[in-house]
Amino acid sequence: MSNPELIQRYQQVLDKIRQHDPDHHVSLLAVSKTKPIEDIITLAEAGQTCFGENYLQEALEKIEVRPDLEWHFIGPIQSNKTRPIAENFTMVHSVDRLKIAQRLSAQRPTDLPPLKILLEVNIDDEATKSGFTPTELLSVAKEVAQLPNIELRGLMAIPSPRTGLEEQRKPFKKMKDLLKTLQQQLPNQTLDTLSMGMSGDLEAAILEGATIVRIGTDIFGARNYNTP
Ligand SMILES: *Cc1c(COP(=O)(O)O)cnc(C)c1O
């Protein structure tokens, strides 16, 4: 199952992260949506442990093969699909409604460690995008922090595409400031996670304090949605 090109792209992404993150504050989430389990196994053999998936059914099939890996859910969440998410993942990045957090809390099996939760922020205030507005974030975070069986750890965002490093840094800087505000308002909560940065803006995200970057294309190559 050797795939030297995949391993090489993976190493290049790791090198690029380390170049901007000499102290190893950033972890790499390999976004494997639409990619075959063989690619995941190849990367696991190369040392990658955390994988991000967007589509529940596809994710569950992969988790069944490799339950030993750490799986993060990063896609849109339908409220009637929260139970398998609560049962099968380590972290959920895309919590965009209070109701979703409440359901994940109620459905997380108590024999598992608490489910780690990130609140998705609609950082560019886009009508078409999900996520909390910065204004509503604090009151939601206070409610989510109270819920049992889940652990609010931080924030996630997918900014609108921009060109140029300085432009790309702006929304990430806002995210960093939002997390800082939450840390001050919720001092008893461990708010240590900023999930931001994808293949096109990884560098800008790391420069603004990302702790998890979510990389798909730069590792696995372009996605082909016709051959799942
Ligand atoms: C697909 C996806 C990614 C990976 O994007 P690339 O540009 O392929 O690196 C990251 N985050 C989310 C939420 C995604 O849906």
Side-chain angles (χ1 to χ4, degrees):
M1 215 174 302
S2 132
N3 185 339
E5 287 111 68
L6 177 59
I7 299 284
Q8 191 185 1
R9 284 193 303 261
Y10 172 61
Q11 287 300 342
Q12 282 166 353
V13 169
L14 285 179
D15 289 347
K16 195 168 165 187
I17 293 170
R18 287 305 156 241
Q19 202 182 319
H20 303 287
D21 174 48
D23 300 328
H24 294 236
H25 294 303
V26 181
S27 64
L28 171 60
L29 184 69
V31 176
S32 44
K33 61 175 178 241
T34 80
K35 296 298 175 180
I37 189 74
E38 289 76 17
D39 286 2
I40 291 166
I41 292 169
T42 299
L43 287 188
E45 282 169 3
Q48 179 66 24
T49 51
C50 299
F51 292 86
E53 290 282 340
N54 294 58
Y55 309 109
L56 185 58
Q57 197 48 46
E58 179 191 347
L60 293 175
E61 287 167 21
K62 292 171 177 173
I63 294 170
E64 203 175 328
V65 181
R66 291 300 300 260
D68 58 310
L69 298 171
E70 183 175 313
W71 296 93
H72 293 218
F73 194 79
I74 64 173
I77 303 173
Q78 290 170 259
S79 62
N80 64 346
K81 300 281 174 59
T82 47
R83 186 176 296 279
I85 296 177
E87 290 174 347
N88 287 282
F89 290 82
T90 297
M91 183 180 264
V92 180
H93 294 227
S94 44
V95 173
D96 60 354
R97 281 160 287 159
L98 179 58
K99 181 184 171 189
I100 298 295
Q102 289 166 333
R103 291 179 65 92
L104 292 171
S105 165
Q107 294 168 341
R108 178 67 167 179
T110 49
D111 59 330
L112 293 180
L115 179 65
K116 296 174 188 170
I117 296 281
L118 305 179
L119 300 179
E120 182 173 351
V121 182
N122 188 352
I123 196 66
D124 288 314
D125 203 8
E126 295 171 274
T128 55
K129 231 171 232 172
S130 48
F132 299 102
T133 65
T135 327
E136 63 193 345
L137 197 58
L138 179 59
S139 68
V140 173
K142 283 183 171 161
E143 293 210 48
V144 173
Q146 309 285 330
L147 296 170
N149 307 322
I150 64 174
E151 205 172 78
L152 176 62
R153 293 297 288 266
L155 303 175
M156 179 274 231
I158 312 168
S160 58
R162 293 166 165 80
T163 41
L165 188 62
E166 289 313 307
E167 280 306 306
Q168 288 181 348
R169 286 179 69 155
K170 287 177 186 170
F172 295 138
K173 161 101 172 46
K174 281 201 226 169
M175 289 291 291
K176 178 171 66 179
D177 293 342
L178 280 173
L179 186 69
K180 217 173 278 174
T181 306
L182 282 192
Q183 286 165 340
Q184 286 160 359
Q185 299 287 329
L186 294 164
N188 297 322
Q189 201 71 20
T190 306
L191 294 166
D192 57 4
T193 306
L194 267 182
S195 167
M196 57 189 199
M198 313 192 347
S199 294
D201 54 15
L202 160 152
E203 185 182 2
I206 294 177
L207 291 171
E208 294 298 347
T211 65
I212 301 179
V213 290
R214 309 178 309 267
I215 308 298
T217 309
D218 276 2
I219 297 174
F220 294 98
R223 286 179 287 274
N224 182 347
Y225 285 95
N226 298 321
T227 52

